[in-house]
Amino acid sequence: MDLSKFLVQPNTKVKLSDFPSDYTCKYKSKDEAQGKLIDNIAEMADLQDKLYADDRWALLLIFQALDAAGKDGAIKHVMSGLNPQGTMVYSFKQPSAEEIDHDYLWRINKSLPERGRIGIFNRSHYEDVLVVRVHNLIKSLKMPKSLLNDNIWDVRHREIRDFEKYLSENGIVTVKFFLNLSKDEQKRRFLKRIEDPSKNWKFSASDLKERQFFKQYQKCYEEVISETSTKYSAWYIIPADKKWFARLVISEVIVSVLKSLNLSYPKLSQEQIDNLKVYKEQLLNEK
Ligand code: AMP
Ligand code: MG
């Protein structure tokens, strides 16, 4: 699959209307895409095993989206083949009192994946330039008043670029997914959550309140993605109206990023290989 369709090149101005949320490439149905997704999940598992054994790189996958875009489902399905020991998932909610008492990257830093691991962020530091901006929550944070200038969002975009560059220079590869959902499809999914008893728990009245800000969020996402898609930490805009296609593209991206690291199992020195022969002899000659 040609992933450049979804990748946001650095220094480009993103218009979400250029990224159709119902695009499905050559695939016409979930069944058609299923085989490829299964192959990708198996390949991811194989690459993760090497990532873990190599123990140098870490991969950080960041999922951002509006409500009901399918973040949880994408994480559940795409990661289903991974070894839980090498995977860490964090969901970032409204900051706690302790988190508010720190800079906004504090909780992010604490949750970064260890080397050899895949870290998954369900929401992230991007909430601090999205929900915080759309709802003007910054005033209720404990920032010194003199630092709350009009250019606070430019400052934060720059901080985020710097932070992600720092991560890349330390072997933590970040990949960012924006699940791009249409307003109509969001409505359908909310209705399903209300109608299907097994999905009722997923619906909250605040989802409807947030829906009223759909346009503002989209505008904000356009700016954030334009400002923070860089060559060391790229954004992918994933068509999310069809869950099965979103999952397929996400799996394709993850496989391609892991492949680009040229991972291999650690090579033993001649001395270590000789030692293995001795240990084998010892085991075989056990009485
Ligand atoms: P959910 O992911 O549906 O469980 O919801 C988590 C909620 O926490 C969402 O409404 C987010 O917008 C909100 N949230 C996450 N991070 C922040 C933040 N830094 N400031 C304010 N709200 C946040
Ligand atoms: Mg929610």
Side-chain angles (χ1 to χ4, degrees):
M1 191 186 296
D2 177 13
L3 294 176
S4 66
K5 273 199 164 58
F6 314 110
L7 173 70
V8 178
Q9 293 294 343
N11 304 314
T12 48
K13 273 242 163 310
V14 170
K15 279 215 322 268
L16 286 177
S17 52
D18 294 339
F19 293 83
S21 55
D22 58 357
Y23 179 74
T24 57
C25 197
K26 62 179 180 181
Y27 299 95
K28 292 197 181 62
S29 69
K30 181 177 177 175
D31 286 350
E32 266 183 37
Q34 194 64 13
K36 186 73 185 135
L37 177 62
I38 290 169
D39 288 351
N40 286 346
I41 288 174
E43 192 162 11
M44 232 185 288
D46 183 51
L47 289 159
Q48 183 200 18
D49 205 44
K50 293 190 175 116
L51 181 85
Y52 192 80
D54 181 56
D55 205 15
R56 287 167 195 275
W57 297 98
L59 177 63
L60 174 60
L61 307 171
I62 295 178
F63 289 85
Q64 284 287 157
L66 296 183
D67 292 309
K71 286 188 275 94
D72 296 21
I75 292 169
K76 183 167 133 187
H77 282 84
V78 175
M79 306 307 150
S80 59
L82 296 181
N83 178 353
Q85 272 210 119
T87 316
M88 4 193 20
V89 187
Y90 290 94
S91 294
F92 293 97
K93 311 281 183 189
Q94 284 168 357
S96 65
E98 189 190 20
E99 287 166 351
I100 286 181
D101 237 357
H102 291 84
D103 62 282
Y104 68 96
L105 291 176
W106 180 74
R107 65 176 183 168
I108 302 299
N109 259 303
K110 283 200 307 179
S111 315
L112 290 172
E114 295 164 26
R115 294 188 192 282
R117 310 287 169 109
I118 298 179
I120 296 161
F121 282 1
N122 186 340
R123 306 187 189 271
S124 65
H125 44 295
Y126 282 97
E127 293 293 323
D128 293 282
V129 287
L130 289 158
V131 65
V132 175
R133 185 174 184 183
V134 168
H135 291 294
N136 202 13
L137 303 176
I138 194 118
K139 293 223 173 78
S140 56
L141 299 178
K142 293 175 71 181
M143 287 279 285
K145 295 260 180 307
S146 63
L147 297 180
L148 292 182
N149 302 323
D150 288 346
N151 68 346
I152 180 83
W153 308 115
D154 291 334
V155 169
R156 287 202 164 182
H157 296 153
R158 194 252 307 141
E159 288 164 351
I160 289 174
R161 286 194 301 269
D162 289 348
F163 172 63
E164 291 171 352
K165 185 171 187 201
Y166 163 84
L167 294 182
S168 87
E169 289 168 347
N170 282 276
I172 298 152
V173 178
T174 56
V175 181
K176 300 174 290 199
F177 298 107
F178 170 61
L179 275 58
N180 187 27
L181 182 76
S182 67
K183 202 170 175 195
D184 283 349
E185 181 58 24
Q186 188 191 51
K187 184 178 184 170
R188 265 191 290 280
R189 290 187 191 175
F190 281 162
L191 285 171
K192 205 162 178 201
R193 287 180 179 187
I194 291 170
E195 283 157 10
D196 179 346
S198 74
K199 289 193 165 42
N200 285 170
W201 65 275
K202 278 194 158 191
F203 186 78
S204 98
S206 66
D207 291 346
L208 278 192
K209 283 205 196 102
E210 285 297 87
R211 180 171 163 81
Q212 290 169 11
F213 293 88
F214 200 95
K215 260 215 176 106
Q216 287 93 320
Y217 270 110
Q218 284 213 313
K219 206 169 148 268
C220 201
Y221 264 107
E222 285 178 337
E223 184 174 335
V224 167
I225 293 171
S226 306
E227 290 290 320
T228 59
S229 202
T230 58
K231 66 174 193 298
Y232 39 84
S233 178
W235 274 104
Y236 289 84
I237 298 180
I238 308 294
D241 282 359
K242 296 275 182 273
K243 289 178 184 172
W244 54 266
F245 187 69
R247 291 168 191 169
L248 177 64
V249 180
I250 291 165
S251 70
E252 290 269 316
V253 173
I254 298 172
V255 166
S256 88
V257 171
L258 282 171
K259 271 187 174 164
S260 74
L261 299 179
N262 292 318
L263 299 162
S264 58
Y265 291 107
K267 296 236 177 341
L268 298 188
S269 65
Q270 192 53 52
E271 190 186 347
Q272 288 169 314
I273 293 171
D274 293 343
N275 281 342
L276 284 183
K277 283 184 196 146
V278 175
Y279 300 143
K280 185 175 172 185
E281 284 300 305
Q282 279 178 13
L283 281 168
L284 291 174
N285 294 326
E286 248 178 14
K287 296 216 170 69

